[in-house]
Amino acid sequence: MSSPSTSLWSPLRQPAFRGLWICGGVFFVGSGMQTMAAAWLMVELTDSSFLAALVQTAVFMPMFLLALPAGVLADTTDRRRLISGALLAQTGACALLALLTLGGWSGPASVLFLVFVCGCCMAMLTPAWNSSVIDPVPRDEWPQAITAVSIAYNAARAVGPTLAGLLFAQLGAGWVFAVTVATTLVMWESIRRWPPKAHPPSKLPAERLWGGTLSGLRFAWHSRIILAQLVRVMAFGAAGSALWALLPVIAQRLGTGAQGFGLLMGCLGTGAVLVGLILGRLRARFGLEVIVGTAGAVFAAAMLVAALTQVAWFVYLWMLLAGAAWMSAMSTFNTATQASAPQWVRSRAVAMHMVAALGAFAMGSAFWGASSDLFGLTPTLCVAAALLGAGLLLARPMPLRMGALHEVTQATPWDELFIEAEPLPEAGPVAVEVGYRIAPGTDAAFLDTISRMKAPRRRDGATFWRVYKDLGEPSRYVERFIVESWAGYLHQRVRATMADQTLETEVRAFLAPGETARMSHYIAER
């Protein structure tokens, strides 16, 4: 029997996770059906590669525009209400699209607009859903839970487009859109039955939307592990989007029609599902970089096959491999991101992963669609494959790894706030100084160690950080950092992790015998 660290079935033993996973899979099937039907309807209406590819942009561009604000809301507000509201709005948009299509009143503009509205709803609910669906699962089983969700999503890519192709051919796009209304309501019912856990109560001032957005961006910029994951997924998604965006054109060149297009997408989804069943074992055996590097090489090869051959069965075979490669890479990126973010910013980390992956995917889809119209399918896919291969060279400057438990576990602040009167939450900026009188002869080692404090201070909220040497007393140093407001400083204090406290312990080990670190706080008056 597989150990819990690699068994895909362990998280599915949790009833709440299993229910959310099944209903989420139904929802993903409906979304895949809608995307396929909208793309093929656009081909029938316009015969334009660019407009067909623009459907993918309409689906995923909202992720780029709205995912991070949605992540802030998921971290700071009621996730159940956020998800439920977005699902009800999406139900209305899907129903309108179905009615317009069934009545024969839909055109390219209305299809793109309503698909874009549905994409906006997806962007608003996805950070909250992705970060809450794994809550019922123990942390050491998160990689398997995230892989299980990825399997459901990619199984939907196999089943959804295939069903949509059959239904489209028999009854038309309108009935495909009608089915998506029902699948969206299934998802809504699952949230009503198994609502996300409420955020723990806090006496701190609530983060506002703009401030919370800046906090998320600051965290990602100053967290080397998160930044590496975001850059890598952006490079992979931008180049790989060419294959997904140009699938209708590939199907058209193969002469397979709507059913063939659905089968191409189905092969991609099937390959993703099959590799998902063993991905945990592969990841444990070979590590993150081998998985991502191999996946990139296979996906690039699949794009070259689609570019250079018109033998349908051979293309279908490589689409299976491409789906397995896409799943392996994207699930690895997603797992590493969620496992490397503390609780206070986890939804925002999910959102930034979406922005990096799907924003690049959306813009890449539009770019590759326009390139195919201008230069042809074959040159476009060849260039995309070359860029995907080049992106794998990022492994050296930006290696992937998963955050350890002590790096994401928030610690209790150990310094008391000795202040006479607490300022208003919005007062600021706030300057904090920590004085150190260190043992003689340890200056170089002390400075090397305390310089590592810059990243966590900036990551958790500081806009400025510096270390100063006292010219009147050479053994005395002052660490100084600035936070925009008193509320921001209070949030920064509670965001420190156990790894940060271990680093502070290392810094304070340089103190001269009998000395303690002395902390002072200053509030801007003018």
Side-chain angles (χ1 to χ4, degrees), residues 109-444:
S110 63
V111 171
L112 284 175
F113 173 73
L114 289 171
V115 168
F116 179 79
V117 171
C118 291
C120 291
C121 296
M122 283 285 288
M124 293 303 296
L125 69 90
T126 301
W129 191 82
N130 279 357
S131 61
S132 62
V133 69
I134 62 174
D135 281 345
V137 178
R139 189 180 188 278
D140 61 357
E141 295 180 3
W142 281 7
Q144 290 69 254
I146 294 169
T147 299
V149 172
S150 297
I151 287 176
Y153 178 74
N154 285 284
R157 282 184 177 271
V159 176
T162 304
L163 290 177
L166 295 172
L167 192 58
F168 193 110
Q170 298 298 321
L171 300 175
W175 286 104
V176 178
F177 299 141
V179 171
T180 66
V181 175
T183 60
T184 305
L185 290 174
V186 168
M187 179 77 149
W188 177 84
E189 172 61 20
S190 73
I191 297 302
R192 188 194 67 80
R193 185 170 181 180
W194 298 287
K197 290 181 181 178
H199 294 301
S202 174
K203 296 180 180 179
L204 297 180
E207 287 187 275
R208 297 180 178 178
L209 184 62
W210 178 244
T213 302
L214 292 180
S215 294
L217 292 171
R218 187 183 297 116
F219 174 86
W221 182 252
H222 293 285
S223 173
R224 293 184 63 183
I225 182 171
I226 295 292
L227 182 62
Q229 291 155 6
L230 297 180
V231 171
R232 297 283 297 279
V233 76
M234 187 182 300
F236 198 99
S241 64
L243 183 64
W244 294 98
L246 296 174
L247 276 181
V249 187
I250 295 169
Q252 199 172 36
R253 190 176 72 166
L254 293 174
T256 55
Q259 289 182 333
F261 172 46
L263 185 57
L264 284 173
M265 293 192 73
C267 287
L268 285 162
T270 301
V273 172
L274 293 176
V275 79
L277 299 175
I278 59 172
L279 185 56
R281 295 181 180 88
L282 293 175
R283 194 181 288 142
R285 181 174 180 180
F286 297 107
L288 306 186
E289 290 294 359
V290 171
I291 294 293
V292 171
T294 303
V298 171
F299 201 85
M303 285 197 284
L304 291 175
V305 168
L308 300 174
T309 184
Q310 296 185 38
V311 180
W313 70 267
F314 194 59
V315 174
Y316 291 144
L317 175 62
W318 273 93
M319 291 306 101
L320 283 169
L321 297 174
W326 187 265
M327 165 70 170
S328 299
M330 288 301 179
S331 177
T332 298
F333 289 133
N334 187 20
T335 302
T337 299
Q338 290 210 49
S340 303
Q343 181 64 36
W344 71 269
V345 76
R346 188 148 59 87
S347 292
R348 275 168 277 192
V350 171
M352 286 183 284
H353 174 84
M354 292 167 52
V355 169
L358 300 180
F361 193 101
M363 290 185 286
S365 295
F367 174 81
W368 298 119
S371 175
S372 179
D373 274 349
L374 291 173
F375 305 110
L377 178 66
T378 297
T380 297
L381 287 176
C382 289
V383 170
L387 289 177
L388 182 58
L392 299 178
L393 299 177
L394 290 169
R396 180 177 291 273
M398 293 187 167
L400 296 173
R401 72 177 181 88
M402 293 191 190
L405 182 61
H406 71 286
E407 294 178 296
V408 299
T409 302
Q410 290 168 242
T412 303
W414 58 9
D415 285 317
E416 296 293 333
L417 284 175
F418 296 108
I419 55 176
E420 212 171 283
E422 187 164 340
L424 294 173
E426 63 272 13
V430 175
V432 181
E433 291 185 355
V434 187
Y436 306 89
R437 187 172 282 105
I438 65 172
T442 61
D443 299 66

